[in-house]
mmCIF file of all heavy atoms in Angstrom:
data_model
loop_
_atom_site.group_PDB
_atom_site.id
_atom_site.type_symbol
_atom_site.label_atom_id
_atom_site.label_comp_id
_atom_site.label_asym_id
_atom_site.label_seq_id
_atom_site.Cartn_x
_atom_site.Cartn_y
_atom_site.Cartn_z
ATOM 1 N N ALA A 280 1.054 -8.636 1.255
ATOM 2 C CA ALA A 280 0.366 -7.360 1.031
ATOM 3 C C ALA A 280 0.031 -6.863 2.434
ATOM 4 O O ALA A 280 0.211 -7.599 3.409
ATOM 5 C CB ALA A 280 -0.903 -7.560 0.206
ATOM 6 N N HIS A 281 -0.449 -5.620 2.557
ATOM 7 C CA HIS A 281 -0.797 -5.202 3.921
ATOM 8 C C HIS A 281 -2.309 -5.024 4.075
ATOM 9 O O HIS A 281 -2.980 -4.472 3.213
ATOM 10 C CB HIS A 281 -0.022 -3.969 4.385
ATOM 11 C CG HIS A 281 -0.303 -2.677 3.665
ATOM 12 N ND1 HIS A 281 -1.338 -1.833 4.033
ATOM 13 C CD2 HIS A 281 0.330 -2.065 2.636
ATOM 14 C CE1 HIS A 281 -1.309 -0.764 3.250
ATOM 15 N NE2 HIS A 281 -0.328 -0.876 2.384
ATOM 16 N N ASP A 283 -3.808 -3.507 6.719
ATOM 17 C CA ASP A 283 -4.259 -2.239 7.323
ATOM 18 C C ASP A 283 -4.432 -1.181 6.236
ATOM 19 O O ASP A 283 -3.912 -1.319 5.125
ATOM 20 C CB ASP A 283 -3.275 -1.756 8.397
ATOM 21 C CG ASP A 283 -1.917 -1.360 7.831
ATOM 22 O OD1 ASP A 283 -1.363 -2.121 7.012
ATOM 23 O OD2 ASP A 283 -1.412 -0.270 8.191
ATOM 24 N N SER A 284 -5.180 -0.135 6.569
ATOM 25 C CA SER A 284 -5.376 0.975 5.633
ATOM 26 C C SER A 284 -5.559 2.248 6.454
ATOM 27 O O SER A 284 -5.616 2.200 7.682
ATOM 28 C CB SER A 284 -6.615 0.745 4.761
ATOM 29 O OG SER A 284 -7.796 0.997 5.506
ATOM 30 N N TRP A 285 -5.701 3.363 5.768
ATOM 31 C CA TRP A 285 -6.117 4.582 6.461
ATOM 32 C C TRP A 285 -7.631 4.545 6.644
ATOM 33 O O TRP A 285 -8.311 3.680 6.071
ATOM 34 C CB TRP A 285 -5.630 5.824 5.718
ATOM 35 C CG TRP A 285 -4.165 5.947 5.917
ATOM 36 C CD1 TRP A 285 -3.171 5.559 5.049
ATOM 37 C CD2 TRP A 285 -3.493 6.373 7.112
ATOM 38 N NE1 TRP A 285 -1.942 5.736 5.630
ATOM 39 C CE2 TRP A 285 -2.106 6.237 6.893
ATOM 40 C CE3 TRP A 285 -3.931 6.860 8.351
ATOM 41 C CZ2 TRP A 285 -1.153 6.568 7.869
ATOM 42 C CZ3 TRP A 285 -2.990 7.190 9.317
ATOM 43 C CH2 TRP A 285 -1.617 7.049 9.077
ATOM 44 N N HIS A 292 -7.450 0.445 -3.265
ATOM 45 C CA HIS A 292 -6.170 0.242 -3.949
ATOM 46 C C HIS A 292 -5.039 0.003 -2.942
ATOM 47 O O HIS A 292 -4.141 -0.789 -3.204
ATOM 48 C CB HIS A 292 -5.834 1.463 -4.825
ATOM 49 C CG HIS A 292 -6.487 1.416 -6.182
ATOM 50 N ND1 HIS A 292 -6.133 0.491 -7.143
ATOM 51 C CD2 HIS A 292 -7.468 2.167 -6.729
ATOM 52 C CE1 HIS A 292 -6.861 0.692 -8.238
ATOM 53 N NE2 HIS A 292 -7.686 1.691 -8.014
ATOM 54 N N ASP A 293 -5.062 0.742 -1.831
ATOM 55 C CA ASP A 293 -3.980 0.670 -0.830
ATOM 56 C C ASP A 293 -4.512 0.125 0.471
ATOM 57 O O ASP A 293 -5.008 0.876 1.302
ATOM 58 C CB ASP A 293 -3.382 2.070 -0.644
ATOM 59 C CG ASP A 293 -2.183 2.060 0.284
ATOM 60 O OD1 ASP A 293 -1.636 0.974 0.526
ATOM 61 O OD2 ASP A 293 -1.799 3.137 0.768
ATOM 62 N N ASP A 294 -4.374 -1.150 0.767
ATOM 63 C CA ASP A 294 -3.774 -2.142 -0.097
ATOM 64 C C ASP A 294 -4.730 -3.307 -0.208
ATOM 65 O O ASP A 294 -4.318 -4.459 -0.257
ATOM 66 C CB ASP A 294 -2.401 -2.543 0.461
ATOM 67 C CG ASP A 294 -1.641 -3.485 -0.450
ATOM 68 O OD1 ASP A 294 -1.925 -3.516 -1.659
ATOM 69 O OD2 ASP A 294 -0.802 -4.246 0.043
ATOM 70 N N GLY A 295 -6.048 -2.979 -0.234
ATOM 71 C CA GLY A 295 -7.033 -4.045 -0.421
ATOM 72 C C GLY A 295 -6.760 -4.820 -1.692
ATOM 73 O O GLY A 295 -6.859 -6.059 -1.722
ATOM 74 N N GLU A 327 1.367 -1.614 8.097
ATOM 75 C CA GLU A 327 2.332 -1.067 7.136
ATOM 76 C C GLU A 327 2.334 0.452 7.221
ATOM 77 O O GLU A 327 3.376 1.097 7.076
ATOM 78 C CB GLU A 327 1.976 -1.506 5.710
ATOM 79 C CG GLU A 327 3.035 -1.115 4.662
ATOM 80 C CD GLU A 327 2.875 0.273 4.077
ATOM 81 O OE1 GLU A 327 1.799 0.897 4.254
ATOM 82 O OE2 GLU A 327 3.822 0.765 3.460
ATOM 83 N N GLU A 328 1.149 1.027 7.455
ATOM 84 C CA GLU A 328 0.994 2.477 7.292
ATOM 85 C C GLU A 328 1.671 3.310 8.371
ATOM 86 O O GLU A 328 1.938 4.481 8.152
ATOM 87 C CB GLU A 328 -0.497 2.838 7.225
ATOM 88 C CG GLU A 328 -1.237 2.261 6.013
ATOM 89 C CD GLU A 328 -0.832 2.923 4.695
ATOM 90 O OE1 GLU A 328 0.064 3.779 4.701
ATOM 91 O OE2 GLU A 328 -1.411 2.552 3.654
ATOM 92 N N GLU A 353 5.864 -8.606 -2.746
ATOM 93 C CA GLU A 353 4.824 -7.789 -2.107
ATOM 94 C C GLU A 353 4.035 -7.037 -3.165
ATOM 95 O O GLU A 353 4.600 -6.464 -4.108
ATOM 96 C CB GLU A 353 5.434 -6.810 -1.096
ATOM 97 C CG GLU A 353 4.347 -5.961 -0.400
ATOM 98 C CD GLU A 353 4.768 -5.379 0.948
ATOM 99 O OE1 GLU A 353 5.948 -5.498 1.315
ATOM 100 O OE2 GLU A 353 3.886 -4.810 1.620
ATOM 101 N N CYS A 354 2.717 -7.046 -2.991
ATOM 102 C CA CYS A 354 1.813 -6.259 -3.842
ATOM 103 C C CYS A 354 1.327 -5.070 -3.018
ATOM 104 O O CYS A 354 0.492 -5.234 -2.123
ATOM 105 C CB CYS A 354 0.606 -7.102 -4.271
ATOM 106 S SG CYS A 354 1.022 -8.443 -5.372
ATOM 107 N N ASP A 355 1.837 -3.895 -3.312
ATOM 108 C CA ASP A 355 1.393 -2.679 -2.610
ATOM 109 C C ASP A 355 1.552 -1.471 -3.531
ATOM 110 O O ASP A 355 2.086 -0.446 -3.143
ATOM 111 C CB ASP A 355 2.190 -2.490 -1.299
ATOM 112 C CG ASP A 355 1.662 -1.329 -0.466
ATOM 113 O OD1 ASP A 355 0.511 -0.894 -0.709
ATOM 114 O OD2 ASP A 355 2.389 -0.852 0.414
ATOM 115 N N SER A 356 1.097 -1.642 -4.768
ATOM 116 C CA SER A 356 1.197 -0.540 -5.734
ATOM 117 C C SER A 356 -0.162 -0.214 -6.322
ATOM 118 O O SER A 356 -0.260 0.538 -7.283
ATOM 119 C CB SER A 356 2.159 -0.924 -6.868
ATOM 120 O OG SER A 356 3.421 -1.251 -6.346
ATOM 121 N N GLY A 357 -1.214 -0.826 -5.786
ATOM 122 C CA GLY A 357 -2.552 -0.620 -6.320
ATOM 123 C C GLY A 357 -2.935 -1.713 -7.298
ATOM 124 O O GLY A 357 -2.107 -2.548 -7.675
ATOM 125 N N VAL A 398 7.610 -2.320 1.540
ATOM 126 C CA VAL A 398 7.979 -1.917 2.903
ATOM 127 C C VAL A 398 7.949 -3.114 3.860
ATOM 128 O O VAL A 398 8.866 -3.320 4.647
ATOM 129 C CB VAL A 398 7.029 -0.807 3.397
ATOM 130 C CG1 VAL A 398 7.255 -0.506 4.866
ATOM 131 C CG2 VAL A 398 7.218 0.460 2.561
ATOM 132 N N ASP A 399 6.888 -3.919 3.791
ATOM 133 C CA ASP A 399 6.730 -5.002 4.772
ATOM 134 C C ASP A 399 7.797 -6.078 4.630
ATOM 135 O O ASP A 399 8.263 -6.624 5.619
ATOM 136 C CB ASP A 399 5.341 -5.633 4.630
ATOM 137 C CG ASP A 399 4.241 -4.638 4.906
ATOM 138 O OD1 ASP A 399 4.217 -4.091 6.027
ATOM 139 O OD2 ASP A 399 3.417 -4.384 4.002
ATOM 140 N N TYR A 420 -2.587 6.312 -9.349
ATOM 141 C CA TYR A 420 -2.576 5.785 -7.975
ATOM 142 C C TYR A 420 -2.676 6.906 -6.949
ATOM 143 O O TYR A 420 -3.478 6.847 -6.023
ATOM 144 C CB TYR A 420 -1.298 4.965 -7.778
ATOM 145 C CG TYR A 420 -1.154 4.296 -6.435
ATOM 146 C CD1 TYR A 420 -2.138 3.426 -5.957
ATOM 147 C CD2 TYR A 420 -0.021 4.486 -5.639
ATOM 148 C CE1 TYR A 420 -1.990 2.781 -4.735
ATOM 149 C CE2 TYR A 420 0.136 3.850 -4.422
ATOM 150 C CZ TYR A 420 -0.849 3.003 -3.977
ATOM 151 O OH TYR A 420 -0.698 2.359 -2.772
ATOM 152 N N HIS A 424 -4.814 7.768 -3.426
ATOM 153 C CA HIS A 424 -3.981 7.252 -2.327
ATOM 154 C C HIS A 424 -4.246 7.978 -0.993
ATOM 155 O O HIS A 424 -4.156 9.198 -0.917
ATOM 156 C CB HIS A 424 -2.524 7.455 -2.779
ATOM 157 C CG HIS A 424 -1.481 6.983 -1.838
ATOM 158 N ND1 HIS A 424 -0.681 7.845 -1.123
ATOM 159 C CD2 HIS A 424 -1.063 5.736 -1.515
ATOM 160 C CE1 HIS A 424 0.184 7.150 -0.409
ATOM 161 N NE2 HIS A 424 -0.021 5.870 -0.626
ATOM 162 N N HIS A 425 -4.592 7.209 0.043
ATOM 163 C CA HIS A 425 -4.783 7.748 1.407
ATOM 164 C C HIS A 425 -5.867 8.822 1.477
ATOM 165 O O HIS A 425 -5.806 9.710 2.321
ATOM 166 C CB HIS A 425 -3.468 8.341 1.960
ATOM 167 C CG HIS A 425 -2.380 7.321 2.167
ATOM 168 N ND1 HIS A 425 -1.156 7.643 2.713
ATOM 169 C CD2 HIS A 425 -2.318 5.990 1.894
ATOM 170 C CE1 HIS A 425 -0.399 6.556 2.777
ATOM 171 N NE2 HIS A 425 -1.087 5.542 2.277
HETATM 172 ZN ZN1 LIG B 501 0.280 0.519 0.952
#
Side-chain angles (χ1 to χ4, degrees):
H281 66 86
D283 66 314
S284 76
W285 287 99
H292 276 292
D293 185 16
D294 185 23
E327 187 273 346
E328 296 289 4
E353 181 157 7
C354 293
D355 186 18
S356 303
V398 172
D399 298 301
Y420 183 56
H424 181 251
H425 295 183

